[in-house]
Amino acid sequence: MRETRTVPVAPKIERKASAALGRNVLNSLQSFPRGMECIDPLGLGIIDNRSLRLITDKLESSPSKADRESVDSNLRDTAAADLEAGAHALKSDLQGRTLQRKQLVKENFDCFVSCKTTIDDIESKLKRIEDDPEGSGTSHLFNIIQGVSLQANRAFEPLFERQAQAEKIRSVQGMLQRFRTLFNLPSTIRGSISKGEYDLAVREYRKAKSIALPSHVGILKRVLEEVEKVMHEFKGMLYKSMEDPQIDLTEVENIVRLLLELEPESDPVWHYLNTQNQRIRGLLEKCYIDHEARMETLQNEKRERALSDAKWRKIQFQSNDGFPNTLGDVDVLVESHPMDVIGEEFDALRGKYIRRLTAVLIHHIPAFWKVALSVFSGKFAKSSQVSADVNVNANAKSDEKVTDGKYSSHSIDEVAGMIRNTISTYEVKIQNTFHNFEDSNILCSYMSDAIKEIFKASQTFEAKESAPPVAVAALRMLYSEITKIYILRLCSWMRSCTEDISKTETWIPVSILERNRSPYTISSLPLAFRSILASTMDHINLMIQSLRSEASKSEDIYLLLKETQESIRLAFLNCFLDFAGHLEGIANQVSQTRAGREDSLIQNGYSHETPEESTDVFPGSVVNSYQKLLMVLSNIGYCKDELSYAMYNKYKHIWKSRGRTEDDTDIRDLVMSFSGLEEKVLEHYTTSKASVIRNAIVNYLLDSGINWGGLPAVKGVRDAAVELLHTLVAVHAEVFAGAKPLLDKTLGVLVEALIDTFLSIFSEQENKDLKSLDANGFCQLMLELEYFETILNPYFTPDARESLKSLQGVLLEKAIESVSEFVENTGHARKSTRVGEDALGDERQGAVSPDDLIALAQQYSSDLLQTELERTRVNAACFMESTPLDTVPESAKAAYASFKGPLDSPTRGYRSQQSIGSPVYNQNRRR
């Protein structure tokens, strides 16, 4: 192996020559790679590139341009003497250096010569090598070394690259070591969040925000972006957690505190309030959706039941042999026909729906409003205002924020408006549902329970810090409006039920206990009307009492109360008037039925009264049309005298704000209405009975086979007169049993009709069947008229007495006229009688005076009337004993006393009332 020797360098060689030599050597060895040894082909040794470069740099070192410029700048400020001294020193130094260089060359001349010789030898050898194509020239060597270099590069290039990467990694590792806290921040925050250590995560985030980072380091920015992303997700999680319906208020406060520390983009408190409000509205909508689903399910069940029933009926019809199938396709009919959502089951679902809606308000609105008050009063999440920074400025800012209590950029009025909108949604749902309640179930608890639920919500909202005033006022008004709707529906239902029950008159008299010992023999119709009225007004009374308590809190509700009270009063009175109208309709229907039946009987040749029968009647019910009219009269009288006063006095406190004068006017008008109706129906009855009495009078006067111009001597009251009285006896019994309080009035009218009918028939038959009336006929009629007057004395009205006097005058005048004609016609044959002989003698001597006829009639009355009254005392007793003496009119008492004691007929003084001359009689009748 060849030795390597370092070329010795003579330190005394000229600098320029050395430098030129170094450059030549460097240029010769420039093609060798750095770090590779240069082999001396002459065997002089190996010189590495590093040594050559050091030598060259040493040789070429000279003052730089910068140094020269520095020297020039220093010389500008130097004094001339100093410069001269410096120049002299430089010259001296130059001379010294020149001498030293000469001395160096002189001392090292041999070395320089040796070096020069060596270099020349090297150069010559190199030239020879270069000139020899077969030798190891530098070009060949260069090519070989170039190939070796390429292979080395291919072998060591990945190593170099990895070395560079390692250097970069070491650089990055150093930076990571320096900022390791910042780089670990995203994972640290994630870990804290996953463990639920939210406060620690917020502190780390605030710490990272406080670090001042160099702007040119991009990786640190990316780390901070990652931290912001983590915190954004964290804030989203916090916002989402506030939407949990089961979240505790303390947890909400903590979340709001954390969000406020994180400086969120949106207001966390307002987000929470909005979320809670939307949740409440969502719950209301869910109640509605569930209610609709339940209604649809129930409707489908009813449709299925209807379809099943229809199929079963179809099977039953088809099972009958020979029965035609008239049902058709019942499946199609049931499916195509829409099912009505009415019935108690549907109303029960509606009541449950209102109860659920109200429960949502009661459970959520107060808590929601308390949170809002806590927020806007500065009591909510106070800890959120405690800053992590302990400097004075931060604390001052926090104190200012707590003092202001501004946890939200919104106002409490906006929250109140939010709640008011929610209440409006509740109002719409309640009103729509309440209107869908069926009136037939109005006395059930569904509607009243719904009103109670609304009242409960109103009372809950009135509690301290439970709801804003606008929500309280809205619920009060809703409660009042729903109550008014319910009351008006009750009033409407009361009138419609009155109409319904009027269509189902059973004509069965109720017992005396059922009618509370009332003298009116009523049917169950007035009691059913009273029951409807009482049950409805009791419900209304309860509603009005609660409405009064609310009216004291609001002027609007007070006005609503006044309108409702007036509506109730009018509905109450109109209900009575409606009932009176229905009774009138029933009476008209009975009268028309009676008239039609009588016309039919007359057309068929039957003029006598037949019993009325019907196969469609209830056991114990009244079937006779006259008794039905009397029952209608009793119903009217019961309403007029008892029911109207009792019910009005019981419920007038509902509208008692009206004055007493107006109250008296109401009841007076009501009684007058029933009184007018009573007169109409009584007229129907008396008119019908007057027709019966007329037929009896016709039989009594005309159809009994008596010749009033040739009547035998008077022997007493004829059977025809008793039969005529039986007509009134029957009426008395009928009225006494059917409408006892109207007995006096009814018989008074019929007694007037009796006398007026006598007058009417005498006027009609004056020139026919009654054209002649002898003294016996006159006495017979006068006796029987006095008989009627004595028995019917309690019911003789002043008009009846005036009519009776007119009738007696007509009879006297007719008797005088007949007797005078008989005297003139002496050929008239007449059967002699016991009392007629004297009269016949008088007739032969001249005309009979009125006084004689009157005296004759009074004589018969004195002799026969008392006996006839005792003989027919049963007929007389029914008129005298039907009523206790302490309750009958004074006229009846007098008649009863005259019947018991010596008889003193009211017509005893008839003669003294007549003038001796021709009498003038008043025949005007007035009913």
Side-chain angles (χ1 to χ4, degrees), residues 5 8 78 93 205 253 284 316 330 438 483 553 660 722:
R5 293 183 294 116
T78 307
D93 183 68
Y205 173 70
E253 293 182 359
L284 293 177
Q316 286 181 325
V330 294
E438 190 179 359
T483 302
K553 305 172 185 177
R660 180 171 179 78
V722 177

Side-chain angles (χ1 to χ4, degrees), residues 484-502:
K484 179 182 178 181
I485 293 173
Y486 180 54
I487 290 174
L488 295 181
R489 292 185 71 175
L490 281 171
C491 295
S492 177
W493 178 85
M494 179 171 62
R495 297 184 67 176
S496 63
C497 286
T498 301
E499 181 179 0
D500 292 339
I501 63 171
S502 301

